[in-house]
Amino acid sequence: MAYDRDTAERVRRLLAPHGDVVDKRMVGGGLSFSVDGRMCCGVTGTGLLVRVGPDAVARTLEEPHVGPMELGGKRLSAFVLVDPAGYATDEALAGWLQRARDFVATLP
């Protein structure tokens, strides 16, 4: 599955001021983004992968436009997948990216 290039450019632009941002191809054709060496989000062909942490997944799944992130038939314990309607505006996308950055800031 190819990733959404327009969304990837928006993510790059919004993350750029917040540290050392590196993007890398993911298994399955998506694109992941790391900030200061920690993976925080990704772009797929169907949505935005957001790392919210295992403790926040259940409550985040209750929000509109959010579903579980599955890879190889298994749910990822610290990530959710946000449908494009959930990040249609730059403000909404920035909010999701902030959540991911907040979580990865807690990691060693």
Side-chain angles (χ1 to χ4, degrees), residues 32-100:
S32 69
F33 291 86
S34 295
V35 177
D36 295 328
R38 298 177 190 102
M39 183 186 173
C40 69
C41 64
V43 177
T44 70
T46 60
L48 179 71
L49 173 67
V50 181
R51 189 174 187 184
V52 295
D55 295 340
V57 168
R59 76 174 167 272
T60 306
L61 287 172
E62 296 175 3
E63 297 181 34
H65 312 294
V66 178
M69 181 58 199
E70 294 184 359
L71 184 63
K74 296 182 181 181
R75 275 193 185 188
L76 300 182
S77 64
F79 295 86
V80 295
L81 187 65
V82 183
D83 294 331
Y87 57 89
T89 66
D90 279 352
E91 180 180 7
L93 179 57
W96 284 110
L97 299 177
Q98 183 64 52
R99 287 170 136 183

Side-chain angles (χ1 to χ4, degrees), residues 2-3 16 26-27 31 45 57 73 85 94 98-99 104-105:
Y3 62 90
M26 293 189 302
V27 173
L31 191 67
V57 168
Q98 183 64 52
R99 287 170 136 183
V104 297

